[in-house]
Amino acid sequence: MREHDPLVTQRIEKMEDLRRDGINPFANDFKVTHSTHDILREFQDKGNEDLDKTKERFSLAGRIISVRDFGKSVFLHIRDRKGKIQIYIRKDLIGEDNFKVFKKFDIGDFIGIVGRPFQTRTQELTIMVESVKLLTKSLRPLPEKWHGLVDVETRYRQRYLDLIVNPEIREIFYRRTRIIQLIREFLNERDFLEVETPMMQSIPGGATARPFKTYHNTLDMDLYLRIAPELYLKRLIVGGLERVYEINRNFRNEGISTRHNPEFTMLEFYQSYATYQDFMDLTEEMLANIAENLFDNLRFEYQDVVLDFTPPWRRITIKEAIMEYGEVGEDVLGDKEKLIEYGQKTGLQLDRGMSLGHLLGHVFEEVAEPNLIQPTFVTNYPTDVSPLSRRNEGNPEEVDRFELFIFGREIANAFSELNDPIDQKKRFLAEIGQEGETVEVSGLLDKDYIKALEYGMPPAAGEGIGIDRLVMLFANVASIREVILFPQLKTRE
RNA sequence: GGGCCGUUAGCUCAACUGGUAGAGCAACUGACUCUUAAUCAGUAGGUCGUAGGUUCGAUCCCUACACGGCCCA
């Protein structure tokens, strides 16, 4: 934006005029007694006969968002955090000098008003203003009132503008916070302890992803932004806290898309003496509870599809899912050569060096995942793609794990925790040794975590839920950027 | 990383496939004391994303780049 934007220059001149008249364009001595919402709630349904009896005077503040000027009287709408209300300013009521000052106010300015409510002829509850005060002069014009701000790039880069002119965007972020509050209440009620664990880790573990690397000067050491809190939360399980959770940011130095932001919010929770089976029940209950709270309904619309959160949700093994949606026999899934052949027919590029488990994972993602629209728990994951999960008692090639899919997207990942330190060390080393993977992606061996397990970690289940993706569902938006206030964009110039 | 699309006034959008750009809102001037996309009259506002190229002439055609969107990996 140019420095000499004439619209800005004009407003700076107005501001200087006001200063000359003794008006502080950035005053901060106005006391607010009511929000727009307070007034509307209390008086919306009252007639003027009742309203005229009101002796009380109300102080409100907000940003001017529209003006209808009649010369000696003016209608405006002001917006505050709770909504908007119409105000009516008359020259004969506030006096000629004050009215002259008021005429220098613009759309975008913050003002404080004192007045009383009345009903207009068109039955809109409005504040009759008895005094008006400039609180902040706005020096830049706002986007248009009718279409709002549409340009997606500007909406993300200047989210404040988006929030000012597109009230439905505010709603998304109110809802996001509400969802997180509901999750906290749900877990707190069940005696989970909310904790905070390091965002900066010397060994980035708990997931397979490329981390952001940074450096600590005084300690003279490399640090990584965490890709997951998992290994720290499980240390707390070793420490005997039994039930812990954390809602916080993870960082992954990977691609950006409608479903990926480099920093994203993750809920992870761990419960001693629970199993992944218990967590399927818990997850159903938790998410159904959110739907119930938000919509008074377990069915709601997402992107023209009705999602039904009524428990119980479908539970299906990864192999069953591939067989059903890929229309393929069980014999293929147990045979590496046949599976590669099948996978390539579906357009997948598969590497012969991959394990059977990894091949199954890729084929599942290709043929089944997009079809899992209604909430579906997928279970019986191969052990070699689940280095932190407990092996299944009956089949050590599989683990006691599920992933939850909704609308073809992974929403949650949970498992009974591997608490055998010997097996854990073996599996870490196998993971680190993965062909073609750099140390930065597959991680380093976290010896202290093994040591912690050696002291003994009680049997436990753990789960991670991607909060941003969850909010996308409940807010009915298609891009993760719509549920993150300041999504990552490339800097300009 | 690849493909497709987009970038024009503060904002939202036009410009009929080459002849140096228009509207609505916002702004400014004036009128108007119940409007709500207020109304009426007038005024001003543009390096057409950036850099090259083709051409007598480019917002338009070509190339590269930047940023963004969607899809794919």
Side-chain angles (χ1 to χ4, degrees):
Chain A
M1 217 168 275
R2 292 167 302 166
E3 286 299 316
H4 54 273
D5 186 328
L7 295 172
V8 173
T9 310
Q10 216 166 56
R11 290 206 179 188
I12 290 175
E13 280 165 11
K14 274 190 192 178
M15 181 181 70
E16 283 163 356
D17 284 351
L18 287 162
R19 276 216 164 96
R20 269 192 291 278
D21 291 342
I23 306 294
N24 178 359
F26 301 100
N28 189 13
D29 57 351
F30 184 83
K31 294 297 168 223
V32 177
T33 62
H34 292 75
S35 70
T36 57
H37 178 77
D38 295 334
I39 304 286
L40 290 172
R41 193 186 46 202
E42 193 173 346
F43 300 110
Q44 184 120 59
D45 302 322
K46 294 227 165 76
N48 276 331
E49 278 179 31
D50 289 333
L51 293 174
D52 287 345
K53 291 177 201 145
T54 309
K55 293 277 192 305
E56 199 183 345
R57 291 298 178 262
F58 303 88
S59 299
L60 292 86
R63 191 193 287 272
I64 300 173
I65 54 166
S66 63
V67 175
R68 290 167 295 285
D69 190 338
F70 287 83
K72 296 185 184 65
S73 76
V74 184
F75 286 96
L76 309 90
H77 273 97
I78 59 169
R79 175 171 289 153
D80 65 9
R81 70 189 184 284
K82 292 282 192 68
K84 63 175 183 175
I85 197 165
Q86 180 167 257
I87 64 172
Y88 186 42
I89 298 185
R90 295 167 51 134
K91 187 177 177 179
D92 58 2
L93 252 176
I94 68 167
E96 193 157 341
D97 291 345
N98 291 330
F99 197 72
K100 216 164 133 189
V101 167
F102 161 74
K103 285 282 192 163
K104 293 215 168 68
F105 297 179
D106 287 297
I107 292 175
D109 291 356
F110 282 93
I111 59 171
I113 57 149
V114 179
R116 59 174 193 80
F118 75 105
Q119 296 285 356
T120 63
R121 269 177 213 158
T122 51
Q123 300 304 301
E124 176 168 353
L125 189 82
T126 299
I127 305 290
M128 182 72 78
V129 171
E130 293 168 0
S131 72
V132 57
K133 181 178 174 65
L134 180 64
L135 300 181
T136 299
K137 187 74 195 146
S138 164
L139 301 181
R140 281 188 191 276
L142 289 177
E144 198 214 342
K145 62 182 172 188
W146 190 237
H147 301 89
L149 180 63
V150 173
D151 182 72
V152 179
E153 189 176 349
T154 310
R155 287 187 43 232
Y156 296 157
R157 287 190 194 281
Q158 295 178 269
R159 182 68 91 179
Y160 45 90
L161 286 181
D162 197 21
L163 291 167
I164 292 167
V165 299
N166 298 326
E168 69 280 8
I169 301 299
R170 288 186 181 203
E171 287 307 314
I172 293 174
F173 292 102
Y174 277 112
R175 180 168 291 182
R176 180 186 171 108
T177 298
R178 177 79 187 127
I179 290 165
I180 293 170
Q181 276 171 349
L182 287 166
I183 291 171
R184 284 207 164 94
E185 284 165 19
F186 183 92
L187 292 170
N188 292 345
E189 277 166 17
R190 284 160 183 74
D191 212 20
F192 283 80
L193 179 73
E194 183 169 13
V195 297
E196 294 177 83
T197 64
M199 315 286 277
M200 301 169 80
Q201 306 178 345
S202 50
I203 299 167
T208 305
R210 180 176 292 108
F212 287 92
K213 192 175 182 178
T214 184
Y215 175 76
H216 191 287
N217 288 339
T218 312
L219 294 177
D220 183 26
M221 64 186 278
D222 288 333
L223 285 170
Y224 300 87
L225 300 187
R226 75 178 188 193
I227 54 176
E230 172 150 358
L231 300 185
Y232 285 91
L233 290 169
K234 286 198 282 199
R235 283 171 167 95
L236 300 178
I237 297 300
V238 170
L241 300 187
E242 288 195 354
R243 299 177 185 199
V244 295
Y245 73 99
E246 177 165 10
I247 299 173
N248 223 325
R249 223 69 64 80
N250 289 348
F251 305 84
R252 296 185 183 177
N253 200 345
E254 295 178 345
I256 294 180
S257 76
T258 48
R259 286 182 291 285
H260 299 86
N261 196 60
E263 53 179 303
F264 59 99
T265 302
M266 189 80 148
L267 160 68
E268 284 202 10
F269 56 98
Y270 293 82
Q271 180 179 346
S272 302
Y273 316 113
T275 67
Y276 80 116
Q277 296 280 358
D278 298 327
F279 270 20
M280 285 194 254
D281 299 338
L282 189 81
T283 303
E284 280 173 355
E285 206 184 329
M286 177 160 65
L287 301 194
N289 173 61
I290 294 170
E292 188 71 45
N293 259 281
L294 295 179
F295 308 121
D296 284 323
N297 202 329
L298 293 173
R299 293 160 62 88
F300 61 97
E301 203 167 296
Y302 181 75
Q303 309 285 295
D304 299 323
V305 172
V306 174
L307 296 177
D308 189 348
F309 274 30
T310 310
W313 298 346
R314 191 176 184 208
R315 300 178 184 192
I316 184 176
T317 70
I318 186 168
K319 284 186 177 171
E320 285 166 356
I322 296 171
M323 287 189 287
E324 178 176 337
Y325 295 102
E327 292 174 340
V328 64
E330 188 156 21
D331 57 314
V332 172
L333 303 187
D335 185 306
K336 209 168 148 176
E337 286 306 315
K338 284 185 184 167
L339 190 58
I340 288 174
E341 194 185 324
Y342 168 75
Q344 282 168 343
K345 264 192 290 184
T346 68
L348 278 173
Q349 303 237 327
L350 296 174
D351 182 344
R352 285 199 145 40
M354 286 179 183
S355 67
L356 185 61
H358 279 97
L359 291 170
L360 274 175
H362 282 105
V363 170
F364 168 77
E365 279 178 31
E366 178 68 21
V367 306
E369 195 173 310
N371 295 302
L372 302 175
I373 302 301
Q374 296 302 327
T376 305
F377 293 111
V378 176
T379 62
N380 296 69
Y381 279 80
T383 301
D384 53 14
V385 298
S386 315
L388 299 160
S389 306
R390 178 189 179 86
R391 288 181 201 267
N392 184 272
E393 296 278 343
N395 179 2
E397 295 309 306
E398 292 181 353
V399 290
D400 288 344
R401 171 184 175 192
F402 72 78
E403 287 195 321
L404 170 64
F405 294 88
I406 304 174
F407 202 76
R409 295 176 193 153
E410 182 194 338
I411 299 295
N413 177 26
F415 36 86
S416 298
E417 300 297 339
L418 173 59
N419 61 348
D420 173 346
I422 311 291
D423 191 13
Q424 181 66 83
K425 187 171 181 183
K426 250 190 265 172
R427 290 214 244 154
F428 270 156
L429 291 171
E431 180 85 348
I432 289 167
Q434 280 291 318
E435 253 181 276
E437 303 229 305
T438 63
V439 171
E440 290 239 319
V441 174
S442 58
L444 304 159
L445 180 65
D446 189 339
K447 288 179 189 157
D448 179 72
Y449 177 68
I450 303 291
K451 189 192 276 181
L453 292 188
E454 286 168 353
Y455 283 98
M457 180 168 85
E463 177 164 345
I465 297 182
I467 295 295
D468 311 280
R469 290 184 185 180
L470 190 66
V471 174
M472 285 168 67
L473 293 175
F474 287 124
N476 194 12
V477 296
S479 169
I480 198 169
R481 286 168 222 126
E482 294 295 339
V483 300
I484 294 175
L485 279 167
F486 299 99
Q488 201 62 51
L489 296 180
K490 216 165 170 176
T491 50
R492 294 178 109 172
E493 290 151 325

